[in-house]
Amino acid sequence: MRIGFIGTGAMAQAIARGAVASGVDPATLVFSNRTATKACDLADELGGNAASSNASLARQVDIVILAVKPKDQRAIIKEISPIVVGRPDICVVSLAAGRTLDQITTDFGAGIPLVRVMPNVAATVGQSMTALTATRATDAQVEAVRSLMDSVGRTILIDEDYFPVFQALASCSPAWYFQIVDSFARAGLKYGLSKDSAVEIAAQAMAGAATLLLAERENGTIPAQLIDRVTSPGGTTIAGLLAAEEGGLSTALVSAVDASIHADSHLG
């Protein structure tokens, strides 16, 4: 199966590199970009191929990944739609945040196999949480796209109606986690640690906690059970946890999700 990337920005590069690292034959990857040298550079790095144009790419591949900014997507679709609509075996993948399956279908002017994908910034280090939703795509096409995204992290298939909440929980939340780590680091600085050491300590503790939670989740363990596991009567952990709750930790985090969803609805 040949996979084409229209656009070679950071996300396309992360996915392509992850695919090759997971065993995908680089010769099956095709790249195009508004700046042709960028497509050539990525193709040379990975051992893939650079197409002479977006239209040429669409003629060569089985999956077309639209890895351009949302504002540029309609122009790209206009360019490739005559080819895509004439090839019922081709599947289009959109990485554009905020662009719905219906909007993209309307831009093509016909029903085509289409998968909407929402990765997050951690794809660049192989730790993305990615959502997928599809229309008119075959099970094999969806599985091929999911396998591709699995190469840069974890994936979940959800109904498109839940994309706004997924965006808050997975795409917006890294900024909040960075803020949390920075706040812990400032607390460490307050008590004499260097900022650099405090960041490393807090970031690794967060990464370890997340890894533990995901591993324990396979056994049906829920976060509250892990909280109980690391707190003891009259101990330092429960003292800090209760202080955080008194300061509004849970309410603030739920409010952050609410605000992100409402902002997305307003922008849409």
Side-chain angles (χ1 to χ4, degrees):
M1 181 172 289
R2 291 173 65 82
I3 302 170
F5 293 81
I6 297 180
T8 56
M11 187 57 69
Q13 291 178 36
I15 297 169
R17 288 173 181 141
V20 172
S22 70
V24 171
D25 182 355
T28 64
L29 303 181
V30 185
F31 305 97
S32 66
N33 192 275
R34 180 172 53 190
T35 304
T37 54
K38 292 183 178 180
C40 291
D41 288 346
L42 186 57
D44 289 344
E45 173 195 333
L46 297 178
N49 306 279
S52 58
S53 67
N54 296 333
S56 173
L57 180 146
R59 293 189 186 96
Q60 299 180 47
V61 300
D62 305 294
I63 295 175
V64 176
I65 299 177
L66 302 179
V68 297
K69 296 182 184 300
K71 67 181 181 64
D72 299 324
Q73 191 184 80
R74 293 186 71 183
I76 298 298
I77 290 174
K78 184 177 181 181
E79 184 180 351
I80 67 172
S81 60
I83 299 163
V84 171
V85 172
R87 290 190 57 200
D89 58 325
I90 196 170
C91 178
V92 173
V93 177
S94 171
L95 302 184
R99 301 221 70 216
T100 67
L101 294 172
D102 283 346
Q103 288 173 324
I104 299 166
T105 297
T106 297
D107 290 342
F108 274 102
I112 60 166
L114 179 60
V115 182
R116 182 182 173 193
V117 172
M118 184 176 289
N120 74 10
V121 67
T124 57
V125 291
Q127 292 294 326
S128 178
M129 184 65 239
T130 302
L132 298 89
T133 191
T135 183
R136 295 176 296 274
T138 66
D139 290 344
Q141 288 171 329
V142 173
E143 186 54 36
V145 176
R146 186 169 192 176
S147 177
L148 180 67
M149 299 311 301
D150 279 339
S151 71
V152 291
R154 290 175 178 254
T155 58
I156 186 172
L157 287 168
I158 60 174
D159 189 278
E160 189 174 35
D161 289 345
Y162 295 109
F163 262 48
V165 68
F166 176 87
Q167 179 170 307
L169 294 178
S171 297
C172 300
S173 65
W176 310 336
Y177 299 143
F178 299 149
Q179 178 65 36
I180 290 169
V181 168
D182 192 62
S183 295
F184 279 136
R186 280 182 269 130
L189 190 64
K190 175 182 177 180
Y191 288 98
L193 282 173
S194 70
K195 184 70 177 290
D196 183 64
S197 293
V199 167
E200 181 178 5
I201 292 166
Q204 178 56 41
M206 178 176 283
T211 300
L212 176 61
L213 175 57
L214 288 170
E216 290 283 347
R217 183 174 170 272
E218 303 298 325
N219 301 320
T221 304
I222 62 174
Q225 291 172 299
L226 292 177
I227 292 172
D228 289 344
R229 191 181 299 177
V230 297
T231 54
S232 57
T236 56
T237 303
I238 189 62
L241 185 60
L242 291 175
E245 287 300 299
E246 185 177 355
L249 176 64
S250 293
T251 300
L253 294 176
V254 173
S255 295
V257 174
D258 290 342
S260 294
I261 292 172
H262 292 155
D264 180 71
S265 175
H266 174 71
L267 290 171

